[in-house]
């Protein structure tokens, strides 16, 4: 983020107050490894972010003079480990996965410990529905456990079932609720090989949040809770060109 001056609190309103922003530089370092040893396999990933990032932009309702947006020091991390076992000539596989992505601590005002996911979706790690999020971020301030089940029932038919359990390591100020259990998700998928290169894939996911996950930001509004599940489904007919 380069230094900037004359930014408007309301981007498309040139009459709104302006503010400046300090420069900030953040770097992400990571490593991945995966291996299959006979019937056992593992996959692991580690990441660390360091440097600085700017604070949030002023509210659209801010009045002049608006103070400069300063940067904060960053030290965030994430870890992911999956252990699996296959049997009956690799037709069936069971694995367990655990991941942790650091969250921003409420009592450290001049530091940012929240992991920046870098990518717009987190369904590969946090469920197909992409419903588990905090302020637009998905893979941040989260600890989760996953059970993966894969079965090749027939040569042309494969099933996969994933069960997720989510928790917040840090108090979630974004939605005004305490840390702890946040919800769960069940994902079910099937792939049917219709012909050479032609596949039919169907997936369904249901995310069930903790009743307090979507508290409104203000304490006075915290009575408006929602524990409604989120449903997601997709059906794809795909043809891959063969060489």
């Amino acid at each position: 983020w380069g230094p900037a001056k004359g930014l408007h609190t309301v981007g498309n309103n040139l009459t709104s107050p302006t503010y400046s922003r300090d420069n900030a530089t953040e770097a992400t370092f990571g490593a991945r490894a995966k291996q299959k040893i006979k019937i056992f396999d593992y996959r692991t990933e580690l990441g660390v972010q360091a440097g600085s990032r700017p604070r949030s932009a002023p509210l659209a309702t801010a009045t002049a003079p608006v103070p400069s947006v300063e940067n904060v020091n960053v030290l965030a991390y994430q870890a992911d480990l999956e252990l699996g076992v296959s049997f009956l000539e690799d037709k069936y596989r069971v694995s367990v996965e655990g991941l942790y992505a650091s969250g921003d601590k409420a009592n450290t005002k001049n530091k940012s410990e929240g992991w920046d996911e870098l990518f717009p979706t987190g369904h590969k790690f946090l469920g197909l529905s992409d419903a588990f999020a905090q302020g637009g971020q998905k893979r941040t301030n989260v600890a989760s456990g996953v059970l993966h089940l894969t079965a090749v029932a027939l040569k042309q038919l494969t099933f996969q079932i994933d069960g997720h359990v989510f928790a917040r390591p840090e108090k979630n100020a974004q939605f005004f609720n305490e840390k702890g259990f946040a919800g769960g998700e069940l994902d079910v998928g099937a792939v049917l090989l219709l012909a050479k290169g032609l596949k039919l894939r169907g997936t369904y996911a249901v995310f069930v949040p903790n009743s307090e996950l979507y508290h409104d930001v203000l304490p006075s509004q915290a009575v408006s809770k929602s524990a409604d599940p989120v449903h997601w489904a997709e059906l794809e007919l795909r043809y891959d060109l063969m060489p």
Side-chain angles (χ1 to χ4, degrees), residues 64-195:
V66 183
S68 173
V69 175
E70 300 176 347
N71 61 42
V72 293
N73 293 327
V74 175
L75 184 57
Y77 59 92
Q78 65 89 19
D80 189 343
L81 175 64
E82 181 180 357
L83 302 174
V85 58
S86 303
F87 47 95
L88 294 181
E89 297 180 344
D90 290 346
K91 290 184 178 181
Y92 300 91
R93 179 179 180 269
V94 179
S95 69
V96 290
E97 177 184 4
L99 68 85
Y100 186 99
S102 61
D104 194 20
K105 300 180 185 296
N107 58 355
T108 56
K109 302 300 182 182
N110 295 318
K111 293 182 181 180
S112 181
E113 301 93 351
W115 175 260
D116 183 346
E117 66 199 33
L118 303 177
F119 300 98
T121 62
H123 55 257
K124 182 176 180 179
F125 305 96
L126 300 179
L128 294 174
S129 73
D130 255 353
F132 184 72
Q134 176 180 358
Q137 291 274 355
K138 299 178 178 69
R139 202 179 181 189
T140 189
N141 190 24
V142 56
S144 80
V146 194
L147 175 64
H148 301 281
L149 303 174
T150 304
V152 183
L154 301 171
K155 185 177 180 181
Q156 297 85 3
L157 182 61
T158 301
F159 292 98
Q160 181 164 345
I161 301 175
D162 298 331
H164 302 257
V165 177
F166 305 109
R168 293 293 191 193
E170 304 295 337
K171 183 176 179 179
N172 186 352
Q174 176 73 23
F175 297 117
F176 194 75
N177 78 310
E178 299 296 330
K179 62 184 180 180
F181 174 71
E185 179 168 324
L186 178 65
D187 301 334
V188 180
V191 178
L192 177 62
L193 179 63
L194 299 174

Side-chain angles (χ1 to χ4, degrees), residues 212-226:
E212 298 182 352
L213 180 64
Y214 295 125
H215 270 182
D216 289 329
V217 176
L218 298 178
S220 61
Q221 300 173 341
V223 294
S224 60
K225 302 177 183 179
S226 173

Side-chain angles (χ1 to χ4, degrees), residues 1 25-32 45-53 74-78 114-119 139:
W1 300 271
T25 302
E26 178 182 332
T28 301
F29 305 91
R32 300 182 183 93
E45 177 180 304
L46 302 170
V48 176
Q49 293 175 334
S52 61
R53 61 176 65 143
V74 175
L75 184 57
Y77 59 92
Q78 65 89 19
W115 175 260
D116 183 346
E117 66 199 33
L118 303 177
F119 300 98
R139 202 179 181 189

